[in-house]
Amino acid sequence: MDTEGRFAEKTTLHIRSLSAKSPAMRAMYDYDPEHENIPANTERDLLLEKVAPPVFGVVRKFDGRLLVLLSYTCAAHCRYCERQDRVGVGLDRMGRLTTQQLDDVIDYVRSDESITEVIASGGDPLTHPKGLEYLFGALREVEHVKVLRIHTRFPLQTPRQVNVDLMGRLAACKPTVFLSLHIDHPDELTDEVVDLIGRFRAQGYILISQSVFLKGVNDDVETLATLFGELFFLGVRPYYIYHCQRIETTARFEMEFDDEIKIMSTLRERLSGLAYPQHVLDLPGARGKVVVPTTHWDFDHARTRDFDGRELSTDTWQVTTADEQKS
Protein backbone atom coordinates (compact mmCIF):
# COMPACT_ATOMS: atom_id res chain seq x y z
CA MET A 1 0.00 0.00 0.00
CA ASP A 2 1.39 3.37 -1.07
CA THR A 3 0.81 5.91 1.73
CA GLU A 4 1.29 9.62 2.24
CA GLY A 5 0.16 10.05 5.83
CA ARG A 6 -3.47 10.05 6.88
CA PHE A 7 -6.39 12.11 5.62
CA ALA A 8 -5.69 15.50 7.20
CA GLU A 9 -8.13 17.51 9.26
CA LYS A 10 -8.94 20.87 7.68
CA THR A 11 -11.73 23.30 8.54
CA THR A 12 -12.54 26.99 8.13
CA LEU A 13 -13.56 29.78 10.50
CA HIS A 14 -17.09 29.48 9.12
CA ILE A 15 -17.25 25.75 9.86
CA ARG A 16 -15.76 26.15 13.32
CA SER A 17 -18.37 28.77 14.14
CA LEU A 18 -21.19 26.45 13.05
CA SER A 19 -19.62 23.42 14.76
CA ALA A 20 -19.77 25.21 18.11
CA LYS A 21 -23.56 24.80 18.04
CA SER A 22 -24.21 22.04 15.49
CA PRO A 23 -23.46 18.36 16.26
CA ALA A 24 -24.02 17.59 12.56
CA MET A 25 -21.24 19.99 11.54
CA ARG A 26 -18.87 18.51 14.12
CA ALA A 27 -19.58 15.01 12.87
CA MET A 28 -18.91 16.00 9.26
CA TYR A 29 -15.65 17.85 9.90
CA ASP A 30 -13.98 16.84 13.19
CA TYR A 31 -11.17 14.30 12.93
CA ASP A 32 -12.05 11.13 14.87
CA PRO A 33 -8.87 9.31 15.98
CA GLU A 34 -10.84 6.20 16.92
CA HIS A 35 -11.78 5.62 13.27
CA GLU A 36 -9.32 7.69 11.23
CA ASN A 37 -5.81 7.04 12.49
CA ILE A 38 -5.15 5.02 9.34
CA PRO A 39 -2.59 5.68 6.57
CA ALA A 40 -4.11 6.91 3.32
CA ASN A 41 -4.15 4.36 0.51
CA THR A 42 -3.14 6.49 -2.48
CA GLU A 43 -3.39 3.48 -4.80
CA ARG A 44 -7.12 2.99 -4.19
CA ASP A 45 -9.39 3.60 -7.18
CA LEU A 46 -12.81 3.23 -5.63
CA LEU A 47 -14.81 4.65 -8.56
CA LEU A 48 -12.53 3.70 -11.47
CA GLU A 49 -11.42 7.30 -11.94
CA LYS A 50 -7.76 6.48 -12.56
CA VAL A 51 -8.19 3.98 -15.37
CA ALA A 52 -6.28 5.12 -18.48
CA PRO A 53 -7.20 8.83 -18.49
CA PRO A 54 -6.83 10.25 -22.01
CA VAL A 55 -4.97 13.24 -20.55
CA PHE A 56 -3.89 14.04 -17.00
CA GLY A 57 -6.62 15.40 -14.75
CA VAL A 58 -9.70 14.06 -16.52
CA VAL A 59 -12.09 11.16 -16.02
CA ARG A 60 -13.98 9.73 -19.01
CA LYS A 61 -16.52 7.12 -17.93
CA PHE A 62 -19.73 8.22 -19.66
CA ASP A 63 -20.63 9.08 -23.22
CA GLY A 64 -20.73 12.79 -23.94
CA ARG A 65 -19.36 13.86 -20.55
CA LEU A 66 -15.88 14.75 -19.36
CA LEU A 67 -14.99 15.21 -15.69
CA VAL A 68 -12.05 17.55 -15.04
CA LEU A 69 -10.38 17.27 -11.62
CA LEU A 70 -9.02 20.80 -11.46
CA SER A 71 -7.59 20.55 -7.97
CA TYR A 72 -7.15 18.03 -5.17
CA THR A 73 -7.49 20.90 -2.70
CA CYS A 74 -10.67 21.69 -0.75
CA ALA A 75 -11.47 24.57 1.58
CA ALA A 76 -12.18 21.94 4.25
CA HIS A 77 -12.05 18.16 4.48
CA CYS A 78 -15.32 16.27 4.89
CA ARG A 79 -14.54 13.22 7.00
CA TYR A 80 -16.65 11.00 4.70
CA CYS A 81 -14.76 12.03 1.53
CA GLU A 82 -14.61 9.27 -1.09
CA ARG A 83 -11.41 10.67 -2.65
CA GLN A 84 -9.15 10.22 0.37
CA ASP A 85 -6.65 8.57 -1.95
CA ARG A 86 -5.95 12.02 -3.46
CA VAL A 87 -7.52 14.81 -1.40
CA GLY A 88 -5.90 15.82 1.89
CA VAL A 89 -2.96 13.41 1.61
CA GLY A 90 -0.23 15.68 0.29
CA LEU A 91 -1.05 15.51 -3.43
CA ASP A 92 -2.39 19.08 -3.75
CA ARG A 93 0.44 20.39 -5.92
CA MET A 94 0.27 17.45 -8.30
CA GLY A 95 -3.50 17.77 -8.53
CA ARG A 96 -3.81 21.51 -9.22
CA LEU A 97 -3.71 21.52 -13.00
CA THR A 98 -1.06 23.71 -14.60
CA THR A 99 -1.71 25.89 -17.63
CA GLN A 100 0.00 23.31 -19.85
CA GLN A 101 -2.14 20.51 -18.41
CA LEU A 102 -5.26 22.61 -18.92
CA ASP A 103 -4.20 23.23 -22.52
CA ASP A 104 -3.96 19.46 -22.96
CA VAL A 105 -7.49 19.07 -21.58
CA ILE A 106 -8.81 21.83 -23.84
CA ASP A 107 -7.12 20.32 -26.92
CA TYR A 108 -8.62 16.94 -26.03
CA VAL A 109 -12.11 18.45 -25.77
CA ARG A 110 -11.69 20.33 -29.05
CA SER A 111 -10.64 17.13 -30.81
CA ASP A 112 -13.66 15.09 -29.68
CA GLU A 113 -16.98 16.42 -30.91
CA SER A 114 -18.86 13.80 -28.90
CA ILE A 115 -18.09 15.75 -25.70
CA THR A 116 -21.09 17.99 -25.11
CA GLU A 117 -20.75 18.43 -21.33
CA VAL A 118 -17.70 19.33 -19.22
CA ILE A 119 -17.85 19.02 -15.44
CA ALA A 120 -15.38 20.86 -13.20
CA SER A 121 -14.74 18.98 -9.98
CA GLY A 122 -11.87 18.02 -7.67
CA GLY A 123 -11.17 18.32 -4.74
CA ASP A 124 -12.97 21.56 -5.27
CA PRO A 125 -12.64 23.55 -8.50
CA LEU A 126 -13.19 26.86 -6.68
CA THR A 127 -9.85 26.36 -4.91
CA HIS A 128 -8.24 26.80 -8.36
CA PRO A 129 -10.12 29.90 -9.59
CA LYS A 130 -7.56 30.95 -12.22
CA GLY A 131 -7.53 27.46 -13.69
CA LEU A 132 -11.32 27.24 -13.67
CA GLU A 133 -11.68 30.58 -15.47
CA TYR A 134 -8.97 29.61 -17.96
CA LEU A 135 -10.73 26.32 -18.72
CA PHE A 136 -14.22 27.78 -19.08
CA GLY A 137 -12.93 30.75 -21.06
CA ALA A 138 -11.41 28.40 -23.63
CA LEU A 139 -14.48 26.15 -23.73
CA ARG A 140 -16.65 29.17 -24.44
CA GLU A 141 -15.35 28.98 -28.02
CA VAL A 142 -15.84 25.22 -28.43
CA GLU A 143 -19.16 24.92 -30.21
CA HIS A 144 -19.86 21.24 -29.53
CA VAL A 145 -19.62 21.79 -25.75
CA LYS A 146 -23.17 22.78 -24.87
CA VAL A 147 -23.17 22.48 -21.07
CA LEU A 148 -20.69 23.40 -18.33
CA ARG A 149 -20.99 22.27 -14.73
CA ILE A 150 -19.25 23.30 -11.51
CA HIS A 151 -19.48 20.89 -8.57
CA THR A 152 -18.45 22.53 -5.32
CA ARG A 153 -18.74 22.61 -1.55
CA PHE A 154 -16.68 25.79 -1.25
CA PRO A 155 -19.65 28.21 -0.76
CA LEU A 156 -20.89 26.06 2.13
CA GLN A 157 -17.46 25.87 3.75
CA THR A 158 -16.28 29.47 3.46
CA PRO A 159 -19.01 31.66 1.95
CA ARG A 160 -17.16 34.94 2.56
CA GLN A 161 -14.28 33.76 0.36
CA VAL A 162 -16.43 33.19 -2.73
CA ASN A 163 -15.42 35.53 -5.56
CA VAL A 164 -18.87 36.60 -6.75
CA ASP A 165 -17.48 38.53 -9.72
CA LEU A 166 -15.63 35.42 -10.90
CA MET A 167 -18.80 33.38 -10.51
CA GLY A 168 -20.60 35.85 -12.73
CA ARG A 169 -17.96 35.56 -15.44
CA LEU A 170 -18.09 31.75 -15.29
CA ALA A 171 -21.90 31.76 -15.57
CA ALA A 172 -21.62 33.75 -18.80
CA CYS A 173 -19.32 31.28 -20.56
CA LYS A 174 -22.19 29.23 -22.02
CA PRO A 175 -25.97 29.64 -22.28
CA THR A 176 -26.33 26.63 -19.93
CA VAL A 177 -24.09 26.48 -16.86
CA PHE A 178 -25.03 24.30 -13.88
CA LEU A 179 -23.79 24.95 -10.36
CA SER A 180 -24.03 21.89 -8.14
CA LEU A 181 -23.79 22.62 -4.41
CA HIS A 182 -22.89 19.76 -2.08
CA ILE A 183 -25.14 20.15 0.99
CA ASP A 184 -25.86 17.48 3.59
CA HIS A 185 -27.67 19.19 6.48
CA PRO A 186 -30.02 22.16 7.02
CA ASP A 187 -27.51 23.73 9.45
CA GLU A 188 -25.32 24.51 6.43
CA LEU A 189 -27.95 26.88 4.99
CA THR A 190 -26.86 29.97 6.92
CA ASP A 191 -27.90 33.51 6.02
CA GLU A 192 -24.60 34.00 4.18
CA VAL A 193 -25.13 30.87 2.12
CA VAL A 194 -28.74 31.76 1.34
CA ASP A 195 -27.57 35.18 0.14
CA LEU A 196 -24.99 33.55 -2.13
CA ILE A 197 -27.60 31.21 -3.58
CA GLY A 198 -29.71 34.23 -4.48
CA ARG A 199 -26.73 35.84 -6.19
CA PHE A 200 -25.95 32.67 -8.12
CA ARG A 201 -29.53 32.51 -9.35
CA ALA A 202 -29.35 36.14 -10.48
CA GLN A 203 -26.14 35.35 -12.40
CA GLY A 204 -28.01 32.79 -14.48
CA TYR A 205 -26.82 29.49 -13.00
CA ILE A 206 -29.10 26.48 -13.02
CA LEU A 207 -28.76 25.39 -9.40
CA ILE A 208 -28.78 21.78 -8.27
CA SER A 209 -27.60 20.03 -5.11
CA GLN A 210 -25.98 16.75 -4.14
CA SER A 211 -26.01 15.09 -0.73
CA VAL A 212 -24.75 11.94 0.96
CA PHE A 213 -26.61 9.76 3.44
CA LEU A 214 -24.62 10.02 6.69
CA LYS A 215 -25.36 8.06 9.85
CA GLY A 216 -25.74 10.41 12.80
CA VAL A 217 -26.01 13.48 10.54
CA ASN A 218 -29.00 13.24 8.21
CA ASP A 219 -30.28 9.71 8.77
CA ASP A 220 -33.92 10.62 9.39
CA VAL A 221 -36.92 11.79 7.40
CA GLU A 222 -37.39 15.15 9.12
CA THR A 223 -33.82 16.35 8.59
CA LEU A 224 -33.86 15.52 4.90
CA ALA A 225 -37.39 16.83 4.38
CA THR A 226 -36.26 20.14 5.85
CA LEU A 227 -33.07 20.21 3.77
CA PHE A 228 -34.67 19.37 0.44
CA GLY A 229 -37.68 21.61 1.11
CA GLU A 230 -35.52 24.62 1.96
CA LEU A 231 -33.35 24.07 -1.12
CA PHE A 232 -36.46 23.80 -3.30
CA PHE A 233 -37.84 27.07 -1.91
CA LEU A 234 -34.48 28.76 -2.64
CA GLY A 235 -34.55 27.61 -6.28
CA VAL A 236 -32.06 24.77 -5.91
CA ARG A 237 -33.18 21.48 -7.44
CA PRO A 238 -32.11 18.49 -5.29
CA TYR A 239 -30.33 16.23 -7.78
CA TYR A 240 -28.68 13.23 -6.10
CA ILE A 241 -28.40 11.70 -2.65
CA TYR A 242 -25.71 9.04 -2.48
CA HIS A 243 -25.08 6.00 -0.37
CA CYS A 244 -21.89 6.79 1.57
CA GLN A 245 -18.85 5.06 0.06
CA ARG A 246 -17.33 2.60 2.48
CA ILE A 247 -13.60 2.79 3.10
CA GLU A 248 -11.76 2.17 6.35
CA THR A 249 -12.16 5.72 7.64
CA THR A 250 -15.80 6.31 6.60
CA ALA A 251 -17.49 3.14 7.88
CA ARG A 252 -19.02 4.99 10.84
CA PHE A 253 -21.08 7.12 8.43
CA GLU A 254 -22.45 4.27 6.31
CA MET A 255 -26.15 3.61 6.83
CA GLU A 256 -28.03 0.38 6.33
CA PHE A 257 -29.15 0.36 2.72
CA ASP A 258 -32.72 -0.67 3.60
CA ASP A 259 -33.00 2.26 6.04
CA GLU A 260 -32.07 4.67 3.25
CA ILE A 261 -34.74 3.14 1.02
CA LYS A 262 -37.41 3.53 3.73
CA ILE A 263 -36.49 7.19 4.26
CA MET A 264 -36.57 7.95 0.54
CA SER A 265 -39.90 6.16 0.15
CA THR A 266 -41.45 8.33 2.87
CA LEU A 267 -39.95 11.47 1.38
CA ARG A 268 -41.37 10.58 -2.03
CA GLU A 269 -44.83 10.68 -0.49
CA ARG A 270 -44.21 14.01 1.27
CA LEU A 271 -42.16 16.17 -1.10
CA SER A 272 -42.87 17.80 -4.42
CA GLY A 273 -41.23 15.88 -7.23
CA LEU A 274 -39.01 18.91 -7.83
CA ALA A 275 -37.80 18.76 -4.22
CA TYR A 276 -37.02 15.04 -4.33
CA PRO A 277 -33.51 13.91 -5.39
CA GLN A 278 -32.59 10.64 -7.04
CA HIS A 279 -31.25 8.11 -4.55
CA VAL A 280 -28.23 6.60 -6.27
CA LEU A 281 -25.42 4.11 -5.81
CA ASP A 282 -22.11 5.24 -7.25
CA LEU A 283 -20.99 1.66 -7.55
CA PRO A 284 -17.55 0.88 -6.10
CA GLY A 285 -15.32 -0.81 -8.65
CA ALA A 286 -18.01 -0.49 -11.32
CA ARG A 287 -19.41 2.03 -13.81
CA GLY A 288 -22.50 4.15 -13.43
CA LYS A 289 -24.79 5.75 -10.88
CA VAL A 290 -27.67 3.32 -10.42
CA VAL A 291 -31.01 4.75 -9.26
CA VAL A 292 -32.49 2.96 -6.22
CA PRO A 293 -36.23 2.16 -6.34
CA THR A 294 -38.55 2.97 -3.42
CA THR A 295 -40.67 0.51 -1.46
CA HIS A 296 -43.52 1.28 -3.83
CA TRP A 297 -41.89 -1.41 -5.99
CA ASP A 298 -41.11 -5.01 -5.13
CA PHE A 299 -37.42 -5.56 -5.88
CA ASP A 300 -34.33 -7.36 -4.63
CA HIS A 301 -32.47 -4.81 -2.51
CA ALA A 302 -29.43 -7.05 -2.33
CA ARG A 303 -28.43 -7.05 -6.01
CA THR A 304 -28.02 -4.55 -8.81
CA ARG A 305 -25.99 -4.17 -12.01
CA ASP A 306 -23.72 -1.45 -13.31
CA PHE A 307 -23.91 0.08 -16.79
CA ASP A 308 -21.71 -2.71 -18.17
CA GLY A 309 -23.88 -5.50 -16.75
CA ARG A 310 -21.60 -6.41 -13.87
CA GLU A 311 -23.53 -7.50 -10.81
CA LEU A 312 -23.10 -5.91 -7.39
CA SER A 313 -24.11 -7.38 -4.05
CA THR A 314 -25.26 -4.65 -1.68
CA ASP A 315 -24.65 -7.05 1.20
CA THR A 316 -20.92 -7.22 0.50
CA TRP A 317 -20.51 -4.31 -1.98
CA GLN A 318 -18.48 -6.65 -4.17
CA VAL A 319 -18.70 -6.54 -7.96
CA THR A 320 -18.64 -9.71 -10.06
CA THR A 321 -17.90 -9.81 -13.79
CA ALA A 322 -20.15 -11.49 -16.32
CA ASP A 323 -17.74 -14.48 -16.47
CA GLU A 324 -17.75 -14.80 -12.69
CA GLN A 325 -21.55 -14.70 -12.68
CA LYS A 326 -21.66 -17.65 -15.11
CA SER A 327 -19.21 -19.80 -13.18
Side-chain angles (χ1 to χ4, degrees):
M1 181 173 71
D2 233 351
T3 62
E4 296 217 8
R6 61 170 174 79
F7 182 52
E9 183 178 50
K10 184 180 182 182
T11 61
T12 65
L13 290 174
H14 177 77
I15 289 170
R16 288 197 288 274
S17 174
L18 292 181
S19 293
K21 52 189 176 182
S22 170
M25 297 297 293
R26 291 195 294 274
M28 285 190 284
Y29 286 106
D30 284 4
Y31 168 72
D32 185 340
E34 181 179 351
H35 298 97
E36 295 189 60
N37 192 21
I38 300 168
N41 180 358
T42 58
E43 295 181 349
R44 180 189 290 116
D45 190 11
L46 189 68
L47 300 178
L48 301 183
E49 293 182 339
K50 300 176 181 178
V51 179
V55 294
F56 182 82
V58 306
V59 178
R60 186 80 186 269
K61 292 199 295 184
F62 307 112
D63 294 340
R65 282 159 281 174
L66 187 74
L67 182 70
V68 182
L69 303 179
L70 274 165
S71 169
Y72 291 156
T73 300
C74 293
H77 292 159
C78 308
R79 305 321 300 173
Y80 54 88
C81 178
E82 66 187 24
R83 290 187 175 135
Q84 293 184 26
D85 57 304
R86 287 158 283 177
V87 175
V89 291
L91 302 181
D92 292 7
R93 290 183 64 189
M94 183 184 79
R96 185 172 287 134
L97 298 186
T98 65
T99 300
Q100 180 57 60
Q101 289 166 335
L102 285 167
D103 283 337
D104 292 341
V105 172
I106 293 161
D107 288 343
Y108 175 72
V109 174
R110 285 179 178 142
S111 70
D112 189 341
E113 294 188 2
S114 72
I115 298 173
T116 58
E117 182 178 359
V118 175
I119 305 157
S121 184
D124 198 304
L126 291 186
T127 63
H128 191 6
K130 291 182 179 178
L132 181 56
E133 187 166 23
Y134 185 83
L135 174 67
F136 276 26
L139 295 179
R140 178 202 296 265
E141 308 303 324
V142 181
E143 187 174 348
H144 60 263
V145 175
K146 305 298 184 184
V147 173
L148 298 175
R149 282 161 55 181
I150 302 169
H151 284 235
T152 182
R153 195 144 163 68
F154 192 96
L156 285 302
Q157 295 174 335
T158 182
R160 294 183 184 179
Q161 298 300 314
V162 173
N163 185 330
V164 177
D165 290 339
L166 168 66
M167 297 303 293
R169 294 194 298 273
L170 296 172
C173 285
K174 288 285 181 181
T176 304
V177 183
F178 284 82
L179 180 62
S180 177
L181 301 171
H182 182 143
I183 307 175
D184 295 311
H185 194 276
D187 288 353
E188 298 182 83
L189 291 172
T190 64
D191 290 343
E192 291 171 309
V193 170
V194 169
D195 178 69
L196 274 178
I197 288 173
R199 293 186 182 205
F200 296 151
R201 286 188 67 193
Q203 289 173 333
Y205 284 103
I206 301 171
L207 294 175
I208 58 177
S209 72
Q210 298 193 79
S211 307
V212 179
F213 265 117
L214 299 170
K215 184 187 293 185
V217 174
N218 59 14
D219 54 351
D220 64 277
V221 168
E222 295 306 322
T223 297
L224 290 176
T226 299
L227 175 64
F228 298 144
E230 289 187 10
L231 288 169
F232 174 51
F233 299 150
L234 290 170
V236 182
R237 170 72 161 94
Y239 174 41
Y240 280 152
I241 182 166
Y242 294 87
H243 178 81
C244 182
Q245 294 290 356
R246 180 196 300 173
I247 56 178
E248 294 92 334
T249 55
T250 65
R252 69 188 186 279
F253 291 112
E254 186 183 25
M255 289 176 55
E256 292 294 329
F257 189 44
D258 284 353
D259 289 341
E260 294 179 5
I261 293 169
K262 290 174 185 175
I263 290 171
M264 294 305 294
S265 299
T266 301
L267 289 174
R268 188 66 194 91
E269 296 169 4
R270 287 182 51 173
L271 295 175
S272 163
L274 290 172
Y276 181 83
Q278 293 185 83
H279 180 201
V280 294
L281 301 175
D282 205 350
L283 303 176
R287 192 173 74 91
K289 295 177 176 66
V290 173
V291 179
V292 181
T294 63
T295 55
H296 305 96
W297 293 86
D298 293 326
F299 69 101
D300 182 1
H301 299 192
R303 310 208 74 78
T304 187
R305 289 183 178 86
D306 78 347
F307 289 3
D308 296 322
R310 289 176 294 185
E311 192 169 274
L312 174 80
S313 165
T314 62
D315 292 330
T316 61
W317 298 104
Q318 294 295 312
V319 172
T320 57
T321 66
D323 289 341
E324 290 171 333
Q325 291 169 31
K326 292 174 185 175
S327 62

